[in-house]
């Protein structure tokens, strides 16, 4: 998948083997991320039987993962900026293993919650470190696909968790042992990434920021596929070598600045990776060609902000977009569709546990397949188009769920015998399409795009903190959404949570249309200028 993605993204360049290896190593964190988030859907029924959980306790088991995520994300961005992306990936692998063993040996419900918090903290820091690392080892022409490979691996992790959950449920009759082995398997994925990442170098952008230019040079040469002369080649020599290769002939969105004709590839890469109004480099000035044939000469000589708050004041538009993406990727209802998928399928009439798990597995297959297709075309189709298209699919799918749960043809009927709810056949079909549609729409939009957009909106000097802050909001929102789903259905009616998600998704489509630009192949400075023009024209 990764090799096919890279080949498709450029007509003249091929991805260096080093970058493929680094992408696979870092993206294993995505598999671990998805596995630990998805396995609860299969483990929850077993946990409920073992500890005789109430409905509220079920919500706690799901939402406490996100509580841990909030804790990890609070410090994750700062730690990634201070100690480096690679070190934090290795640390989180170790924390994943600890959390898996805590869950495996848990004999009381509070210990289960502790294990979920530990895993959640690792999930959050891993998400920040993996995305930052992938962004910063990516050649510009492949960056969209490389960063989005992490989301494909998250979807793969979900799929793996559904497969493991199904196998465990039919092969291990002991419910108490089944969920323990489900959580334990995650430790093997963490160990695999630890071994793989141990041989990888640190991000060249982080090394450059720390003044380790020789180490950064070494990594850059590996990224560009010619590490044979590492010991003797200077940055100027590398630039000359890269000029001889020539710029990529691959064309992208027509509204991007024409930097390729003006900037040598390595210099362009350094500009794209670390450009900001405060960048202290020889690449601070560049010419931007607008698609309206108006030539704009843009020169950045802004004084370095002294704090995070100064950065946020300058990048407040980007911060608003990041907050929007962080919150709405959860309040579209996607986490509940995945975490409570067996419960939802039970509500709409799937009577057997095996049938519910098979249906959940198929949702995972659809999500993974969609994510892979999106990644193959993300740099050609464009971020904004995919974001709006995916959100529209989510909105339509939520509408189908509302209809299935509340319409005359699909009203839930009480079963006096077992106290369960069942939807008639027509509503059952509509609801099933809705569940699959939410997963597919998310895989088209929020899934591969949130972290990619946030990493492109901000310069490298604040990227770790921006990803960290966004992650805190993401998981805080996820904890609220997960903790209120089942109880919200009981209090307000089965369709009301979906109606709330639908309303918020519709508002999100409007906001994205008027407030977000296409970011492919643009430096943070160019994005800032275009956002300023766009927001000014809309006010």
């Amino acid at each position: 998948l990764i090799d096919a993605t890279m080949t498709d993204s450029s007509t003249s360049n091929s991805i260096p083997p080093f970058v493929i290896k680094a992408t696979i190593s870092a993206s294993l964190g995505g598999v671990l991320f998805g596995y630990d988030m998805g396995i609860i859907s299969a483990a929850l029924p077993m946990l409920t039987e073992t500890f005789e959980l109430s409905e509220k306790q079920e919500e706690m088991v799901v939402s406490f993962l996100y509580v841990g995520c909030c804790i990890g994300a609070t410090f994750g961005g700062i730690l990634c900026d201070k100690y480096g992306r690679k070190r934090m990936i290795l640390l989180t692998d170790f924390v994943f293993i600890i959390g898996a063993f805590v869950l495996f040996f848990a004999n009381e419900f509070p210990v289960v919650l502790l294990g979920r918090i530990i895993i959640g903290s690792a999930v959050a820091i891993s998400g920040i470190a993996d995305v930052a690392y992938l962004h910063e080892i990516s050649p510009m022409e492949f960056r969209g696909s490389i960063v989005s490979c992490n989301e494909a691996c998250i979807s793969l992790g979900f799929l793996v968790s559904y497969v493991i959950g199904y196998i465990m449920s039919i092969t291990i009759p002991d419910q108490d042992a089944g969920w323990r082995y489900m959580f334990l398997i995650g430790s093997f994925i963490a160990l695999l990434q630890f071994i793989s990442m141990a041989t990888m170098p640190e991000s060249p952008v982080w090394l450059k920021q720390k003044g380790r230019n020789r180490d950064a040079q070494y990594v850059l040469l590996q990224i560009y596929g010619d590490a044979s002369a590492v010991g003797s080649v200077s940055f100027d020599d590398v630039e000359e070598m890269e000029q001889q290769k020539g710029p990529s002939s691959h064309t992208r969105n027509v509204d991007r600045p024409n930097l390729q004709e003006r900037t040598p590839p390595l210099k362009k890469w350094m500009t794209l990776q670390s450009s900001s109004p405060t960048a202290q480099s020889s690449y601070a000035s560049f010419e931007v060609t607008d698609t309206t044939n108006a030539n704009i000469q843009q020169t950045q000589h802004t004084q370095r902000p002294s704090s995070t708050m100064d950065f946020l004041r300058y990048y407040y538009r980007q911060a608003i977009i990041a907050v929007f993406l962080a919150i709405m990727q959860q309040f579209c209802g996607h986490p509940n569709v995945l975490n409570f998928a067996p419960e939802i399928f039970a509500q709409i009439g799937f009577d057997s546990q095996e049938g519910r798990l098979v249906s959940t597995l198929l949702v995972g297959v659809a999500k993974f397949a969609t994510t892979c297709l999106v990644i193959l075309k993300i740099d050609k189709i464009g971020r904004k188009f995919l974001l709006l298209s995916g959100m529209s699919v989510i909105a339509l799918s939520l509408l189908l769920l509302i209809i299935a749960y509340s319409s005359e043809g699909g009203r839930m009927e009480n079963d006096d015998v077992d106290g369960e709810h069942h939807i008639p056949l027509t509503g059952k079909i509509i609801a099933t399409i809705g569940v699959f549609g939410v997963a597919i729409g998310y895989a088209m939009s929020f899934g591969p795009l949130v972290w990619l957009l946030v990493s492109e909106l901000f310069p490298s000097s604040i990227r770790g903190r921006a990803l960290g802050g966004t992650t805190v909001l993401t998981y805080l929102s996820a904890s609220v959404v997960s903790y209120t789903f089942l109880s919200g259905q009981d209090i307000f009616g089965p369709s009301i949570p979906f109606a709330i998600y639908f309303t918020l998704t519709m508002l999100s489509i409007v906001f994205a249309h008027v407030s977000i630009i296409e970011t492919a192949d643009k430096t943070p400075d160019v994005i800032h200028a275009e956002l300023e023009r766009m927001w000014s024209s809309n006010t």
Side-chain angles (χ1 to χ4, degrees):
L1 170 63
I2 293 174
D3 188 57
T5 299
M6 307 315 170
T7 302
D8 183 71
S9 294
S10 177
T11 59
S12 61
N13 294 339
S14 60
I15 195 74
F18 164 80
V19 178
I20 295 176
K21 183 180 178 181
T23 301
I24 293 173
S25 298
S27 295
L28 282 172
V31 178
L32 186 57
F33 184 118
Y35 182 86
D36 280 312
M37 295 191 74
I39 196 62
I40 193 62
S41 64
L44 188 58
M46 298 181 182
L47 278 165
T48 301
E49 182 174 324
T50 298
F51 295 105
E52 299 180 349
L53 302 182
S54 66
E55 189 174 83
K56 183 57 66 177
Q57 288 175 319
E58 290 183 51
E59 291 178 328
M60 290 175 66
V61 172
V62 174
S63 63
F64 265 56
L65 177 80
Y66 300 117
V67 173
C69 288
C70 292
I71 296 172
T74 301
F75 306 103
I78 298 173
L79 293 174
C80 284
D81 285 343
K82 184 175 182 179
Y83 296 108
R85 287 46 163 147
K86 175 187 172 179
R87 288 180 184 175
M88 295 314 300
I89 292 174
L90 295 175
L91 176 63
T92 55
D93 288 331
F94 182 69
V95 176
F96 271 122
I97 293 172
I98 293 176
F101 276 92
V102 169
L103 288 167
F104 180 78
F105 291 108
N107 289 320
E108 296 180 354
F109 178 65
V111 179
V112 173
L113 297 182
L114 174 63
R116 294 285 286 170
I117 290 176
I118 294 173
I119 291 291
S121 65
V123 163
I125 300 175
S126 173
I128 297 168
D130 291 337
V131 171
Y133 187 84
L134 289 169
H135 181 100
E136 292 167 3
I137 57 93
S138 306
M140 178 269 295
E141 63 266 32
F142 304 117
R143 185 185 305 145
S145 296
I146 287 177
V147 175
S148 294
C149 278
N150 189 60
E151 177 59 28
C153 288
I154 292 175
S155 296
L156 178 60
F158 271 100
L159 179 57
V160 170
S161 73
Y162 296 154
V163 172
I164 295 297
Y166 175 72
I167 292 174
M168 292 290 184
S169 66
I170 63 176
T171 59
I172 300 181
D174 184 358
Q175 296 287 299
D176 181 64
W179 62 266
R180 296 180 189 276
Y181 286 111
M182 290 181 193
F183 289 127
L184 184 63
I185 288 174
S187 66
F188 294 101
I189 304 175
L191 181 61
L192 179 62
Q193 187 187 32
F194 185 92
I195 295 171
S196 179
M197 279 301 300
T199 63
M200 291 291 104
E202 183 54 83
S203 153
V205 175
W206 185 84
L207 291 170
K208 183 174 182 293
Q209 289 175 347
K210 297 300 179 181
R212 296 167 58 181
N213 289 339
R214 186 176 183 84
D215 293 333
Q217 171 188 319
Y218 182 92
V219 180
L220 283 175
L221 286 169
Q222 292 182 79
I223 289 174
Y224 279 87
D226 191 348
S228 59
V230 169
S232 59
V233 179
S234 67
F235 273 109
D236 291 338
D237 294 329
V238 176
E239 290 173 16
E240 182 178 352
M241 176 183 68
E242 287 296 328
Q243 288 180 17
Q244 293 173 358
K245 291 183 180 180
S248 170
S249 63
H250 181 64
T251 57
R252 301 182 190 280
N253 302 288
V254 296
D255 62 340
R256 66 177 173 86
N258 189 6
L259 295 176
Q260 289 183 338
E261 296 178 3
R262 311 181 190 285
T263 315
L266 180 62
K267 186 177 290 186
K268 175 176 61 180
W269 183 89
M270 294 299 295
T271 303
L272 285 165
Q273 293 287 6
S274 60
S275 173
S276 74
T278 63
Q280 296 178 348
S281 70
S282 61
Y283 314 138
S285 298
F286 52 88
E287 188 176 52
V288 179
T289 303
D290 195 284
T291 56
T292 60
N293 296 324
N295 293 326
I296 303 171
Q297 184 71 26
Q298 181 176 323
T299 306
Q300 302 290 350
H301 293 294
T302 307
Q303 184 179 359
R304 175 181 288 275
S306 59
S307 67
T308 300
M309 291 307 300
D310 290 336
F311 270 110
L312 292 178
R313 290 188 190 100
Y314 188 85
Y315 292 105
Y316 76 90
R317 299 175 185 86
Q318 291 90 324
I320 291 173
I321 293 172
V323 169
F324 156 77
L325 293 171
I327 294 174
M328 286 315 306
Q329 73 165 327
Q330 306 299 335
F331 275 92
C332 70
H334 171 265
N336 288 340
V337 168
L338 293 186
N339 291 330
F340 295 104
E343 178 72 21
I344 293 174
F345 283 122
Q347 290 177 353
I348 63 179
F350 288 77
D351 295 325
S352 69
Q353 176 70 8
E354 183 177 345
R356 298 167 195 171
L357 291 175
V358 169
S359 300
T360 303
L361 174 60
L362 292 176
V363 171
V365 171
K367 176 180 170 66
F368 177 65
T370 303
T371 302
C372 292
L373 289 174
V374 168
I375 289 175
L376 289 172
K377 300 297 181 182
I378 190 171
D379 286 320
K380 290 185 177 180
I381 297 176
R383 281 76 154 141
K384 184 172 182 177
F385 178 80
L386 282 172
L387 183 65
L388 291 172
S389 299
M391 287 194 296
S392 299
V393 172
I394 293 173
L396 178 60
S397 302
L398 289 169
L399 183 60
L400 292 177
L401 285 168
I402 295 169
I403 294 172
Y405 276 91
S406 61
S407 70
E408 194 67 23
R411 181 174 295 134
M412 296 180 70
E413 301 169 349
N414 288 320
D415 188 326
D416 295 331
V417 176
D418 58 15
E420 294 292 328
H421 296 287
H422 299 282
I423 294 180
L425 179 60
T426 302
K428 182 177 179 179
I429 295 173
I430 294 174
T432 301
I433 295 173
V435 169
F436 277 81
V438 170
I440 291 172
Y442 186 90
M444 292 173 58
S445 55
F446 290 116
L449 292 175
V450 169
W451 308 115
L452 173 61
L453 288 171
V454 173
S455 70
E456 291 179 333
L457 287 171
F458 295 94
S460 62
S461 56
I462 195 178
R463 185 174 299 130
R465 282 167 286 175
L467 287 168
T470 302
T471 305
V472 171
L473 289 174
T474 292
Y475 295 124
L476 181 61
S477 301
S479 64
V480 172
V481 170
S482 299
Y483 194 66
T484 57
F485 178 63
L486 296 178
S487 55
Q489 284 190 316
D490 285 342
I491 295 172
F492 302 108
S495 66
I496 297 303
F498 297 113
I500 294 173
Y501 306 150
F502 171 77
T503 302
L504 293 174
T505 302
M506 291 300 297
L507 293 174
S508 299
I509 293 173
V510 176
F511 176 85
H513 179 70
V514 302
S515 302
I516 298 179
I517 64 168
E518 178 57 52
T519 62
D521 296 354
K522 297 175 183 176
T523 69
D525 287 331
V526 173
I527 292 171
H528 180 83
E530 292 191 12
L531 281 174
E532 188 174 31
R533 289 196 297 271
M534 183 180 192
W535 285 45
S536 297
S537 65
N538 290 331
T539 56

